[in-house]
Amino acid sequence: MTTTTDTTFDASRVEAFAGHLMTILKGGLLSCMVDIGYRTGLFVAAAAGETTSGELAARAHLEERYVREWLGAMVTEGIIEYDAAAQTYRLPPEHATLLTGPMSMAPIAQANTVLAKHVQQIVRVFEEGGGVPYAEFCPEFSEALDAMGRGPLDQFLVSGYLPVVPGLTEKLAAGARVADFACGAGHALVILARAFPASTFIGYDLDEGAVRRARAEAAGAGLANLAFEVRDITRLRVDAPFDVVFMMDALHDQVDPPAVLARVRDALAADGVFLLREPHAGDRLEDNVGNPTAPIMYSVSTLHCLTVSLAHGGAGIGTAFGEGLARTLLADAGFAPPAIHPAPGTPFDAIYVTRVDGS
């Protein structure tokens, strides 16, 4: 440790931070490796049982030399186990649970690599102002979002989300008009339309590619009670009110959140329910220090959520969306104080349940 008249320089702190920084930089590269394993099916193939690199490459229909190098990253990071004597590889079932199937976290790596492609554009707007429009991220990022959201929705939408609203499951079973504002690829509505055939469902989104995927999935499932439209939800007018409106992780990156909430309010029946899912952060930076998901929120915000709003001169709320701001926006739009619940399957999100304020 050395001391000057101005400050104390702690060499041990440098060493500790170097290790911390190296972990961050290593994680960026390994995120690419996880994405490769997800996209090529290598994790699914490895989960089938202990294997050599050649056998694994054959299972996944890939080139062995690339598979072997990828396995080097997986083994040295502790994701896949290696028997040096037998030269075989094993993906433990506990690891496979989080890399394949409905609980897979691997789609997060897909989102990371997609966002990384836009770093140069983000650097430009740091220097010049403005933002990178949402269309610049399509279709890759919307596909990654869809992949990340499917597992939790499949597991928890009907069994976890709906029960937080007393009577909602029964209302859908009896028959209700339901909308999803900024529905993306529409998987949530596919789940609901299949589970509640007496109800009718419609999804609205500005992303034409996402709506095409949504329509294709609905058609493949044979769901006649479900439709999707390409619409700007800030200008949306509906012919008949909805009993339920969903909005999933989309308000915070809108250009004009108050206008969106006004359209939701106008679209709801007098006794209708609005179920809003948003990131669950503190309203101030100091409230988020120590929150392990906060660095992810601020990073995703810089690379996507903030910039797609600022690209059109929008509010630029960003991903670190807090309860205080949510309550203010909802109240200003004419909604009653919301009930707030943890979002099942996505612990970094909260569910806000509210109705049009009748007071």
Side-chain angles (χ1 to χ4, degrees):
M1 183 180 294
T2 59
T3 303
T4 69
T5 56
D6 298 318
T7 186
T8 299
F9 188 86
D10 188 343
S12 64
R13 191 172 182 181
V14 174
E15 183 178 357
F17 180 66
H20 178 60
L21 190 58
M22 184 57 69
T23 299
I24 294 170
L25 299 175
K26 178 183 72 171
L29 292 171
L30 286 166
S31 189
C32 296
M33 295 297 101
V34 171
D35 187 23
I36 289 171
Y38 169 68
R39 295 198 201 204
T40 60
L42 275 166
F43 288 129
V44 173
E50 190 167 350
T51 179
T52 66
S53 62
E55 290 166 348
L56 181 60
R59 285 181 194 172
H61 308 289
L62 299 171
E63 292 293 326
E64 187 275 339
R65 184 63 189 91
Y66 282 102
V67 170
R68 186 168 14 119
E69 203 74 0
W70 174 85
L71 283 166
M74 295 296 99
V75 169
T76 54
E77 183 55 26
I79 295 173
I80 288 178
E81 297 174 347
Y82 179 57
D83 183 333
Q87 295 191 330
T88 56
Y89 303 83
R90 177 179 175 267
L91 179 63
E94 298 84 358
H95 296 191
T97 296
L98 297 176
L99 292 168
T100 64
M103 294 292 291
S104 177
M105 298 173 67
I108 299 173
Q110 180 184 3
N112 289 351
T113 55
V114 170
L115 290 175
K117 292 169 53 178
H118 298 276
V119 165
Q120 187 55 48
Q121 292 172 290
I122 299 298
V123 169
R124 176 179 56 77
V125 298
F126 263 72
E127 297 168 345
E128 301 175 3
V132 182
Y134 182 80
E136 291 289 315
F137 294 88
C138 295
E140 294 89 354
F141 191 63
S142 58
E143 291 171 352
L145 288 177
D146 181 40
M148 285 192 292
R150 282 178 174 259
L153 289 173
D154 287 335
Q155 289 192 286
F156 299 111
L157 180 56
V158 173
S159 64
Y161 283 57
L162 302 187
V164 305
V165 186
L168 180 54
T169 300
E170 293 77 10
K171 176 179 283 193
L172 294 176
R177 280 177 46 81
V178 182
D180 187 349
F181 281 45
C183 65
H187 187 60
L189 289 187
V190 170
I191 295 168
L192 293 172
R194 184 184 291 119
F196 301 101
S199 290
T200 58
F201 301 86
I202 186 165
Y204 303 109
D205 203 282
L206 198 59
D207 182 349
E208 295 183 9
V211 169
R212 279 196 300 271
R213 293 196 301 277
R215 287 171 174 165
E217 184 176 1
L223 297 171
N225 61 334
L226 173 58
F228 294 95
E229 294 183 8
V230 177
R231 299 286 291 274
D232 179 352
I233 56 175
T234 63
R235 296 182 173 88
L236 184 64
R237 295 288 190 275
V238 299
D239 296 329
F242 293 108
D243 301 299
V244 187
V245 171
F246 291 91
M247 192 171 188
M248 304 284 200
D249 281 323
L251 182 64
H252 64 274
D253 55 10
Q254 295 294 313
V255 173
D256 191 351
V260 170
L261 291 175
R263 299 287 73 76
V264 173
R265 181 201 62 216
D266 293 345
L268 271 176
D271 61 346
V273 174
F274 179 34
L275 193 152
L276 173 70
R277 188 183 76 189
E278 283 294 318
H280 195 206
D283 288 291
R284 304 174 303 170
L285 174 58
E286 54 265 38
D287 299 329
N288 295 319
V289 175
N291 177 349
T293 65
I296 299 173
M297 289 186 185
Y298 285 115
S299 298
V300 171
S301 187
T302 304
L303 294 168
H304 184 264
C305 300
L306 176 68
T307 197
V308 298
S309 178
L310 294 182
H312 302 283
I317 290 175
T319 313
F321 189 87
E323 289 185 15
L325 178 57
R327 292 179 186 276
T328 298
L329 288 171
L330 289 168
D332 289 349
F335 288 99
I340 304 174
H341 307 272
T346 52
F348 41 82
D349 279 349
I351 299 173
Y352 298 85
V353 179
T354 185
R355 300 173 187 269
V356 176
D357 193 351
S359 60

